[in-house]
Amino acid sequence: MKKFIIETYGCQMNIADSELVATVLKTAGFEQTNNIDEANIIIFNTCSVRQHAEDRVKGRISNEQARKRDKSDLIIGVMGCMAQRLQEELLELNIGVDFVVGVDQYHNIPNIINDHLKIKTDFNHQEVYHDIYPTRKGKFNAFVTIMRGCNNYCTYCIVPYVRGRERSRPIDEILKEVEIAGNNGFKDITLLGQNVNSYDYDGIHFPELMEKVSQVESIQRLRFVTSHPKDLSDELIKVMASNDRICKHVHLPMQSGDDEILKRMNRGYTSDHYRQIIKKLRTAMPNIGLTTDIIVGFPGETQEQYQKTYDLMKEIGYDYAFMYKYSPREGTKAAEFTDQVEEKVRLERLKEIIELQREITLQKFKGQIGSVKHVYVENISKKSDLELSGKTEDFKIAVFKGEKSLIGTFVDVEITDATSGTLIGKRV
Ligand code: SAH
Ligand code: SF4
Ligand code: F3S
């Protein structure tokens, strides 16, 4: 029997897609392995969002190519966003790629392998993958895709070009997938889309979808990513605040604190509009966890404009931020802008906000001391096997002393200390 392994890069959408592809392959008679030495088929699920993401995976593929010397039947495949973007170029790179499969061709993976095909990236046919209910790896957290693609065309971003137009999955299929996941022990569900707020299936919008999914008996917690600030509605805030199963956490990418830059990014909101949403969220849910994405060194970003991002990060005080220096993506509008910021400056700005956020995170986490958190126990702590670790509702890691048998259950933990990244506490 042919054994395959999938190595996943990029965002949660890719994690979910890897599970989807694994399910397609298993249904077709292939066997999944976690041991790369055992695999006859190695598939890389790739990301194109920044140049670094592509370079890294190309390096990985090239390394694995060496295995072909001892194993002549080994096949290396590339799926995901970089496969969609580079297509046959990947075959021509001489890094050992045998097949390339685009994001809307995953149904065809068994044929590609069985018939020794090289490439399938037809993009005109855009999928929502009806009636595939993935068997999942991992244990407690399941990612459920509710929509694919993106229509927003932020000027720096490659995603709309590689993932295509926005389309929503039918609500019945989402409910079924969530129910199955819950029955299999995944109590913490994250609904996924590049812009979940624009979910629209047969006139059902995102807040209503959240309500419906939260009522699935077999689950306990519901989350979502990513919210676009321009589309986050009052209705959603109301639903979040009034529903106990919906976790009080929002990931709301700010990208920049400067209005001119936001405009050039085509983000569709101003810094004041963004502030307003944060205010509404915090008024409705005072203990809400907030995280964000930031880009520094976008073309034309002056020191003053950068400073506004720095100041807004400080003002809002996120629990955590994913921070990036701008990376030009061929084919996007911003890559054509003639006022690119010097690499050295991008890097300096990035270092500075990483340092700022480290301090803010520490402060935020210390601020939790004395509170009691409901924790979904997922693991034995990495540091010591006397300690367990789990996730709080507001998306923080908490560690505490406890018995292994608590793994998979929900417990209350009183927070007694914190580092910049972990809450430390004791069971109450
Ligand atoms: N759909 C999500 C994010 C998708 S990409 C959203 O709109 O929020 C994840 C993050 O990568 C983005 O939020 C952005 O901060 C970052 N990113 C995207 N393109 C980038 C680029 N060209 N250079 C640097 N960072 C980028
Ligand atoms: Fe990219 Fe913008 Fe779409 Fe997010 S909303 S995926 S940043 S184009
Ligand atoms: Fe995700 Fe990267 Fe594709 S962020 S959508 S895997 S380009």
Side-chain angles (χ1 to χ4, degrees), residues 11-20 106 127-130 132-134 136 142-149 163 167-171 173-175 177-178 189-194 196 199 206 209 213 223 225:
C11 64
Q12 292 100 330
M13 310 284 289
N14 266 11
I15 297 177
D17 281 357
S18 289
E19 288 172 342
L20 187 134
Y106 295 155
E127 269 292 342
V128 289
Y129 296 107
H130 287 294
I132 301 181
Y133 300 102
R136 297 176 187 284
F143 296 117
V144 175
T145 304
I146 62 163
M147 57 196 300
R148 304 180 72 88
R163 290 252 168 193
R167 62 261 183 211
S168 298
R169 267 181 91 190
I171 183 158
E173 294 182 17
I174 295 168
L175 289 170
E177 187 170 329
V178 170
I189 305 288
T190 306
L191 302 185
L192 292 183
Q194 293 300 351
V196 290
Y199 178 85
F206 189 60
L209 176 73
V213 175
R223 309 175 181 279
V225 276

Side-chain angles (χ1 to χ4, degrees), residues 4 6 16-28 30 32 79 135 137:
F4 70 90
I6 305 180
D17 281 357
S18 289
E19 288 172 342
L20 187 134
V21 165
T23 307
V24 170
L25 282 170
K26 283 189 275 187
T27 309
F30 295 83
Q32 189 166 23
M79 60 181 273
T135 48
K137 293 218 292 189

Side-chain angles (χ1 to χ4, degrees), residues 49 149-160 194-195 226 228 255 265-267:
V49 81
C150 181
N151 290 349
N152 285 316
Y153 291 95
C154 303
T155 54
Y156 50 81
C157 185
I158 196 72
V159 171
Q194 293 300 351
N195 178 15
T226 298
H228 196 301
Q255 312 297 5
M265 287 178 163
N266 191 32
R267 286 293 287 177

